[in-house]
Amino acid sequence: MDQKRSSFTGKIGFVLAAAGSAVGLGNIWRFPYLAAKYGGGIFLLVYIILAVTFGFTLMAAEIAIGRKTGLSAIGAFKQLDKRFTFVGYLAAIIPAIILPYYSVIGGWVMKYIAGFATGQAHVMAGDKYFSEYLKIIGEPIIWFLLFIGLTAVIVMLGVEKGIEKVSKVMMPVLVVLIFGVAVYTIVAMPGAWEGVVYYITPDFSKFSIMTVVAAMGQLFYSMSLAMGIMITFGSYMKKDISIEKSIHQIELFDTGVAFLAGLMIIPAVFAFSGGNEDALGTGPTLMFVTLPKVFDSMPAGNIIGAVFFVMVFFAALTSSISLMETVVSILQDKLKMKRIPACLAVLGFSLAMGLITCLGFNVFKDIKPLGLDDLLTFFDFIANNILMPVTAFFTAILVGFVLKPQYLIDELDIGGAFKAKRLFKVMIKYIAPIFIVAILVSSVLDAFDIVKM
Ligand code: PHE
């Protein structure tokens, strides 16, 4: 912690690095299935409102904490107020929970690259293909091992900068491809237009508390909030950069990619299922079931499919690297571990957890903790819907009542006047804490089936 901190060369460097961490499977895989499941347009609307108010405030607070203290989460909370040190630890556990199952999905992506590259689009487009694939005990584990192994090797060698460079080139191409596939689906497939309507017109009768619960969990996940990552990023940020402007750019980028991914996947679900509710509620497997059908129906679908999944792979890899890097640096700082042993420890833990996650689809398929469909969904729920709101809650209390908002506003004002002062104060003091508690209570009640929301 006491080594000299390097800093981002300039504004673009910061925004790109933060956006690189933010844009990943969360945008391309997670957002569309939640939007499909939780009412389409109404989910989109709730998500956007939350992003520009709640997400903005929390991201501003985290980056400002990082830049002000020059420390990452555990050290930062400790320095700000000893009693809040535990929040830093809480934040630190989250990436460790996400990394294993993130890598399981990364493995699915690799499997799909191989499938399309070997001309299997037609086979993969079969209705039961993916659900049958998950039942296999060996293969998904092997792809998972490859993905997490690759992540670990990159983190151990410290060559993530190289990967990030590649991915910065890939990212714009990915956006263009997503857009292209969306347009193709909408224009070429009968029934897709209803999907567009479902996706962009809010139907208030589909609104429930669970829409908000899901949207908020997604917001944390997608913007890499409430897990100390933005604090670390802030600690590397130079003083002459406007935090506010940077956040606007990150948000626009992150939400833009998520929006387009939804536009690519949801109309396709309609086209192939006739708007059948069951197809909309498929959950985590949605992208892997729907997209092969689209690619299979396209000319040169195998090539487009392979290229598409390669891009997704790079987006996922940069995110998994930043997840692992976060956990590794915490072990290095706190346990004074050397880099390689720290990497190996994180790898070992992730292997065990990832293995359990893979087996959750076959051997352990009857274990449905909290009534959730599988272990992957369970880990995802614990991280996004329980631990992240708790972390965000204490962050808001610390900033709103212990330090007082002005303390961070002073920091936010450096590098350009902070315009959203009022919003920041009201959000962080009152709305955010009350709102988070409400959300937390409802998601727990729902999970334990006490009240169905
Ligand atoms: N935000 C990333 C995504 O949307 C996930 C992630 C979270 C990555 C935290 C790094 C750190 O996929």
Side-chain angles (χ1 to χ4, degrees), residues 21-22 24-27 102 221-222 224 227 229 319 322-323:
S21 161
L25 292 171
N27 309 61
Y102 203 86
Y221 190 90
S222 187
S224 308
M227 52 183 116
I229 291 191
S319 293
S322 84
L323 285 163

Side-chain angles (χ1 to χ4, degrees), residues 252-272:
L252 195 69
F253 200 64
D254 190 56
T255 311
V257 176
F259 173 76
L260 284 177
L263 196 61
M264 165 179 76
I265 290 176
I266 295 175
V269 178
F270 271 72
F272 287 108

Side-chain angles (χ1 to χ4, degrees), residues 231-429:
I231 299 185
T232 310
F233 271 121
S235 73
Y236 293 126
M237 192 185 198
K238 286 193 171 162
K239 292 276 186 195
D240 58 356
I241 296 169
S242 156
I243 296 182
E244 188 173 23
K245 284 209 193 101
S246 306
I247 298 177
H248 288 319
Q249 284 163 350
I250 298 165
E251 271 193 324
L252 195 69
F253 200 64
D254 190 56
T255 311
V257 176
F259 173 76
L260 284 177
L263 196 61
M264 165 179 76
I265 290 176
I266 295 175
V269 178
F270 271 72
F272 287 108
S273 71
N276 177 339
E277 291 274 325
D278 293 342
L280 286 171
T282 320
T285 58
L286 184 66
M287 171 171 115
F288 297 90
V289 175
T290 311
L291 282 183
K293 293 186 201 288
V294 179
F295 292 131
D296 184 41
S297 77
M298 279 180 158
N302 274 306
I303 299 170
I304 300 174
V307 172
F308 176 83
F309 278 100
V310 168
M311 313 276 162
V312 175
F313 167 74
F314 274 96
L317 193 61
T318 50
S319 293
S320 69
I321 291 169
S322 84
L323 285 163
M324 186 178 251
E325 187 66 60
T326 312
V327 189
V328 167
S329 65
I330 290 164
L331 293 184
Q332 282 183 284
D333 285 352
K334 285 293 129 189
L335 303 179
K336 303 275 173 276
M337 284 174 90
K338 290 229 161 43
R339 191 169 173 85
I340 301 284
C343 288
L344 291 175
V346 177
L347 180 62
F349 173 77
S350 305
L351 286 179
M353 296 284 283
L355 201 65
I356 296 174
T357 309
C358 287
L359 295 178
F361 291 100
N362 37 63
V363 179
F364 299 147
K365 74 173 181 318
D366 294 325
I367 305 180
K368 294 190 188 301
L370 306 180
L372 296 165
D373 286 341
D374 46 68
L375 291 170
L376 189 147
T377 312
F378 172 69
F379 292 133
D380 187 76
F381 178 84
I382 294 295
N384 297 284
N385 297 59
I386 307 286
L387 293 175
M388 291 193 211
V390 172
T391 308
F393 174 78
F394 286 109
T395 309
I397 296 296
L398 172 69
V399 176
F401 295 92
V402 182
L403 304 169
K404 306 281 188 276
Q406 193 57 41
Y407 181 79
L408 290 187
I409 291 177
D410 292 342
E411 180 67 36
L412 290 162
D413 258 333
I414 306 174
F418 181 57
K419 295 199 203 75
K421 289 192 177 71
R422 286 257 294 282
L423 172 78
F424 184 78
K425 277 189 199 159
V426 177
M427 278 304 296
I428 204 98
K429 265 189 108 138

Side-chain angles (χ1 to χ4, degrees), residues 72 91 125 170 202 281 346 409 436-437:
S72 47
M170 296 276 203
V346 177
I409 291 177
I436 297 169
V437 171

Side-chain angles (χ1 to χ4, degrees), residues 100-153:
Y101 82 78
Y102 203 86
S103 303
V104 171
I105 304 161
W108 298 350
V109 172
M110 289 175 90
K111 158 79 185 171
Y112 272 56
I113 297 176
F116 283 106
T118 52
Q120 304 283 308
H122 192 62
V123 184
M124 298 163 83
D127 269 337
K128 295 255 169 295
Y129 179 81
F130 193 62
S131 54
E132 290 301 320
Y133 171 70
L134 289 179
K135 287 189 196 143
I136 305 172
I137 295 177
E139 197 183 336
I141 297 178
I142 294 175
W143 289 112
F144 153 70
L145 292 177
L146 279 174
F147 189 90
I148 187 91
L150 196 62
T151 306
V153 168

Side-chain angles (χ1 to χ4, degrees), residues 14-233:
F14 175 79
V15 172
L16 280 180
S21 161
V23 176
L25 292 171
N27 309 61
I28 305 159
W29 152 80
R30 201 172 188 276
F31 183 87
Y33 90 67
L34 290 175
K37 186 167 171 181
Y38 292 101
I42 189 70
F43 180 86
L44 187 63
L45 181 70
V46 170
Y47 183 83
I48 292 174
I49 294 174
L50 284 179
V52 296
T53 54
F54 185 78
F56 170 82
T57 306
L58 202 62
M59 192 178 254
E62 291 194 18
I63 297 178
I65 288 178
R67 192 166 75 173
K68 187 144 193 151
T69 58
L71 298 169
S72 47
I74 298 181
F77 280 104
K78 189 169 172 193
Q79 181 182 326
L80 292 172
D81 190 312
K82 274 223 153 41
R83 292 166 298 170
F84 282 77
T85 312
F86 75 95
V87 186
Y89 284 101
L90 207 57
I93 299 172
I94 298 170
I97 297 180
I98 296 181
L99 176 64
Y101 82 78
Y102 203 86
S103 303
V104 171
I105 304 161
W108 298 350
V109 172
M110 289 175 90
K111 158 79 185 171
Y112 272 56
I113 297 176
F116 283 106
T118 52
Q120 304 283 308
H122 192 62
V123 184
M124 298 163 83
D127 269 337
K128 295 255 169 295
Y129 179 81
F130 193 62
S131 54
E132 290 301 320
Y133 171 70
L134 289 179
K135 287 189 196 143
I136 305 172
I137 295 177
E139 197 183 336
I141 297 178
I142 294 175
W143 289 112
F144 153 70
L145 292 177
L146 279 174
F147 189 90
I148 187 91
L150 196 62
T151 306
V153 168
I154 294 167
V155 173
M156 274 191 243
L157 296 178
V159 292
E160 47 265 48
K161 288 286 161 300
I163 304 295
E164 272 156 28
K165 278 214 184 87
V166 179
S167 112
K168 262 160 219 166
V169 181
M170 296 276 203
M171 218 60 104
V173 185
L174 175 66
V175 173
V176 173
L177 245 161
I178 293 178
F179 188 72
V181 176
V183 171
Y184 170 85
T185 312
I186 296 164
V187 174
M189 293 188 181
W193 186 251
E194 277 86 78
V196 178
V197 173
Y198 175 79
Y199 184 46
I200 58 177
T201 36
D203 172 354
F204 289 89
S205 69
K206 293 208 168 69
F207 180 85
S208 78
I209 287 290
M210 287 318 281
T211 317
V212 189
V213 172
M216 191 149 101
Q218 173 61 16
L219 185 70
F220 289 134
Y221 190 90
S222 187
M223 289 176 58
S224 308
L225 293 174
M227 52 183 116
I229 291 191
M230 286 299 153
I231 299 185
T232 310
F233 271 121

